[in-house]
Amino acid sequence: MNSQEKEITYTARNSYSTLNTLTEQTKTVWLVCHGMGYLSRYFLRYFKTLNAEENYIIAPQAPSKFYIQPKMHVGANWLTRDQTDTGMDNILNYMDAVLEAEKIPDSINFIVFGYSQGVSVAMRYLAKRQLKCNQLVLHSGGIPIELKADDFKYLSKATKVKLIYGTEDEYLNSERIEKESDRALDLFGKRVEFLPFKGKHVVNVNYINSLI
């Protein structure tokens, strides 16, 4: 048996979702990366309590969809450990296309928000593309091990970094939370603000409202 794994390049299509309208009254634009098992259009529900006139939310869609048992709901996944670099290259090109289509004003307050698996996607995109933002929010996720402090030196010292996690998170025990906290400090120094809450692996809407 002479098995080979080959690679090709082709053009793909993917959707993304937005909430509210980008106008002259918009003060803050959010780029939000959902976690595993979500779809972008449903992830937006966590941002509906924000002032609609002042906030515009862009939610990219993870490319790999699958059925979630037992009700066969459709969810999506960003990456796996198999061919992670290739998968991330595809995501980089996809995110480039999303931001090119949206044409975010340079002067706007820009927040990059990652939840769960979306943390690794958001951080890798920032590091690879040196995307500037006013605030980086890491919610209940792990920081990619390959990233270094040098990858984020381009960020302004005024860029806020916030680490949100539930103290009863079933995926992040106390040891893992301590590890991720140390990683955040290694990457961003004393500007990291830690925001724990009593709860499990869920999006904390109250903290979302307090980020602006």
Side-chain angles (χ1 to χ4, degrees):
M1 181 178 178
N2 185 19
S3 176
Q4 297 182 60
E5 186 169 274
K6 301 181 179 181
E7 189 173 277
I8 59 170
T9 299
Y10 64 98
T11 301
R13 297 174 64 180
N14 194 8
S15 64
Y16 68 97
S17 302
T18 63
L19 179 65
N20 307 328
T21 305
L22 182 60
T23 69
E24 292 183 355
Q25 282 69 50
T26 302
K27 295 181 179 180
T28 301
V29 171
W30 302 63
L31 180 67
V32 300
C33 296
H34 64 76
M36 187 168 67
Y38 284 82
L39 293 178
S40 60
R41 61 181 178 270
Y42 298 128
F43 190 59
L44 286 176
R45 69 181 61 174
Y46 296 111
F47 301 87
K48 288 186 175 180
T49 57
L50 296 170
N51 184 303
E53 186 177 87
E54 297 181 355
N55 292 271
Y56 180 62
I57 300 91
I58 303 167
Q61 175 61 61
S64 180
K65 295 189 174 85
F66 58 93
Y67 288 113
I68 301 174
Q69 301 286 357
K71 296 184 178 180
M72 300 298 282
H73 293 157
V74 177
N77 177 64
W78 288 103
L79 294 163
T80 68
R81 68 172 65 95
D82 184 51
Q83 296 186 331
T84 304
D85 290 341
T86 299
M88 193 63 217
D89 283 344
N90 292 332
I91 290 171
L92 291 173
N93 293 331
Y94 162 69
M95 298 278 274
D96 288 345
V98 170
L99 293 181
E100 173 62 26
E102 287 298 322
K103 295 179 171 55
I104 301 170
D106 292 334
S107 59
I108 208 81
N109 180 39
F110 185 42
I111 298 176
V112 175
F113 180 103
Y115 168 69
S116 194
Q117 192 186 45
V119 168
S120 64
V121 171
M123 293 193 70
R124 285 178 171 131
Y125 187 73
L126 259 66
K128 293 288 187 180
R129 294 298 193 253
Q130 296 199 337
L131 181 68
K132 295 180 180 179
C133 61
N134 300 93
Q135 189 170 175
L136 172 61
V137 184
L138 312 175
H139 191 325
S140 302
I143 297 171
I145 59 174
E146 78 274 11
L147 296 181
K148 309 297 181 187
D150 285 347
D151 294 320
F152 300 97
K153 278 188 175 180
Y154 75 92
L155 286 175
S156 166
K157 293 188 181 299
T159 299
K160 299 177 182 177
V161 180
K162 297 185 179 179
L163 188 66
I164 301 174
Y165 53 87
T167 56
E168 300 170 0
D169 193 312
E170 56 270 41
Y171 301 108
L172 297 175
N173 57 27
S174 58
E175 182 179 347
R176 180 72 185 279
I177 290 172
E178 183 178 355
K179 178 181 177 182
E180 297 302 332
S181 299
D182 289 343
R183 286 280 287 133
L185 286 172
D186 287 342
L187 295 180
F188 303 106
K190 294 182 179 179
R191 59 177 144 165
V192 180
E193 182 179 356
F194 299 99
L195 299 173
F197 64 94
K198 187 176 181 180
K200 296 188 176 182
H201 194 77
V202 295
V203 178
N204 190 303
V205 178
N206 291 331
Y207 272 149
I208 288 177
N209 293 334
S210 72
L211 293 174
I212 52 175

